[in-house]
Amino acid sequence: MSLNAIAQKLMEPGKGILAADESEPTIEKRFAKINLPSTLELRRDYREMLFRSSHAMTNYISGVILTEETLKQEAADGTPFRAILADEDVIPGIKVDRGAFPMPGESGEKITEGLDGLRQRLEEYARLGAGFAKWRAVITINDIAPTRNNIRANAHALARYAILCQEAGIVPVVEPEVVGDGDPGNHSLERCAQVTGDVLENVFKELRLAGVDLSGMLLKPNMVLPGVNSRDRPSVDDIAQRTYEVLREQVPAAVPGIAFLSGGQTDEEATAHLSAINKIQNKPWPITFSYGRALQNVALRLWAGRRENFAQAQAAFTHRAKMNSLAASGEWTP
Ligand code: 13P
């Protein structure tokens, strides 16, 4: 399949992406909240619960982002996860960055690592059937951040990753995330809009410089939101409008789709905002979800580490997937 055909299939109307690519430190944090250790077996069971939610996977999910461990893993009965996903017509994707590390200097920012050896790793992932990949850059807002240096370094790394993916026949999902835990004074809705626009402008500049085919990639941005500690309380429609305006200004129409991250919003907020954005008419690209937490929060709690809870957890996951599927068409109502 061509890069554009894969990207379009990921953006199939009424479907979105499940981000199940929590790194080991992240899944350890998620499991710790429900008092579970992060063992190989529990990670396998948890992901098996999600992937065997066949109604949700078949009807509402176009692709799943996996870790390398999961891409190569088998369910408890020996069926490779890749075979389960293939039966459900879900495209397997792979997280290829190695995480965000402190940027040299005093700004408190992060730079994503993982370019060394990436070309070889991508060849292997392509052989294993990965149709798309993900690389997450983290942009911090504080008194002095983001700095120009950090925006440029992260944009440049995203572009190098993206062109390597395309060379391997894999669709790059380009994820520059402006994170929401800035201080009240400096992270209003407007500040987030300005920083998100600035970051996207730099990302597309670097993508073009690197020769990335914009019709063979997807963008995974943050929504434009006030920081978690901000006193700013915009309405759902304000957030949708501001998010759309920033994207409209910066994202070329050649990009086949935009799939948002949930970034710590509550499950309902993530759904409501996506639906409000999709109610806006005549958008140049389709817009859907690529959620981790906002699809998994309730299911993770209900699973609680026990295979006998699979059905209950799967029902909760299916419900969220269905709500976000409606939101991807602008048809969700509270
Ligand atoms: P959240 O939706 O939980 O923010 O995760 C999406 C993701 O893939 C972050 O990289």
Side-chain angles (χ1 to χ4, degrees):
M1 247 201 287
S2 71
L3 292 171
N4 180 256
I6 298 171
Q8 293 215 33
K9 191 163 157 58
L10 287 167
M11 294 304 302
E12 194 178 322
K15 291 190 180 184
I17 297 172
L18 165 65
D21 60 322
E22 298 84 3
S23 62
E24 286 209 23
T26 302
I27 198 82
E28 195 174 331
K29 252 190 283 173
R30 303 275 147 81
F31 281 8
K33 280 199 185 143
I34 52 168
N35 298 316
L36 289 178
S38 172
T39 64
L40 186 71
E41 197 181 2
L42 283 172
R43 291 196 296 274
R44 178 205 61 198
D45 279 0
Y46 177 60
R47 278 143 182 173
E48 180 174 347
M49 178 276 293
L50 294 171
F51 305 159
R52 287 210 198 263
S53 302
S54 2
H55 180 80
M57 296 296 285
T58 309
N59 292 288
Y60 312 128
I61 303 293
S62 56
V64 182
I65 317 173
L66 308 166
T67 61
E68 185 173 322
E69 173 183 294
T70 320
L71 181 68
K72 296 176 174 172
Q73 205 169 29
E74 294 165 355
D77 68 359
T79 315
F81 282 144
R82 282 172 289 151
I84 295 175
L85 297 176
D87 275 352
E88 295 165 335
D89 198 24
V90 168
I91 304 177
I94 173 91
K95 169 200 181 69
V96 303
D97 66 70
R98 300 279 206 205
F101 294 86
M103 184 85 178
E106 305 297 319
S107 65
E109 297 173 290
K110 290 183 170 165
I111 178 70
T112 303
E113 296 188 359
L115 288 171
D116 288 356
L118 182 57
R119 177 177 271 148
Q120 291 71 26
R121 285 198 285 138
L122 285 165
E123 278 168 17
E124 186 194 3
Y125 302 146
R127 272 199 307 280
L128 289 167
F132 69 107
K134 175 189 117 171
W135 177 289
R136 173 174 176 255
V138 175
I139 305 292
T140 307
I141 295 182
N142 64 33
D143 287 341
I144 52 169
T147 62
R148 196 115 308 271
N149 183 37
N150 182 260
I151 293 177
R152 289 177 69 179
N154 271 307
H156 184 253
L158 277 166
R160 286 204 42 209
Y161 140 82
I163 192 69
L164 285 168
C165 285
Q166 292 192 333
E167 184 185 278
I170 288 178
V171 169
V173 173
V174 172
E175 181 180 9
E177 177 177 5
V178 177
V179 291
D181 40 15
D183 298 321
N186 52 29
H187 196 157
S188 60
L189 183 78
E190 267 323 294
R191 176 97 167 109
C192 184
Q194 177 246 320
V195 170
T196 303
D198 191 8
V199 167
L200 290 174
E201 186 179 346
N202 278 275
V203 166
F204 282 100
K205 204 185 285 173
E206 292 292 339
L207 290 170
R208 285 197 180 94
L209 262 178
V212 172
D213 170 9
L214 299 185
S215 75
M217 61 161 279
L218 294 177
L219 181 70
K220 175 162 173 165
N222 54 284
M223 293 181 189
V224 172
L225 297 163
V228 284
N229 298 319
S230 172
R231 283 178 296 268
D232 218 0
R233 292 274 176 277
S235 69
V236 168
D237 286 333
D238 288 343
I239 287 167
Q241 195 55 41
R242 214 57 198 97
T243 300
Y244 178 67
E245 284 165 5
V246 168
L247 293 172
R248 185 75 188 79
E249 202 161 309
Q250 300 299 343
V251 185
V255 173
I258 294 176
F260 286 108
L261 59 97
S262 63
Q265 300 176 67
T266 66
D267 299 354
E268 280 232 344
E269 281 166 358
T271 304
H273 292 149
L274 179 63
S275 196
I277 293 167
N278 271 315
K279 283 196 169 75
I280 298 169
Q281 297 299 309
N282 301 319
K283 297 180 293 300
W285 356 252
I287 298 183
T288 190
F289 58 91
S290 175
Y291 292 165
R293 285 162 287 179
L295 280 169
Q296 299 181 45
N297 284 328
V298 183
L300 174 65
R301 259 182 278 126
L302 290 173
W303 164 66
R306 305 162 80 99
R307 292 185 72 89
E308 57 268 37
N309 294 341
F310 265 26
Q312 241 185 318
Q314 286 170 333
F317 169 60
T318 304
H319 177 70
R320 284 292 7 124
K322 182 174 180 185
M323 295 304 103
N324 286 310
S325 160
L326 289 169
S329 315
E331 283 166 12
W332 178 84
T333 40

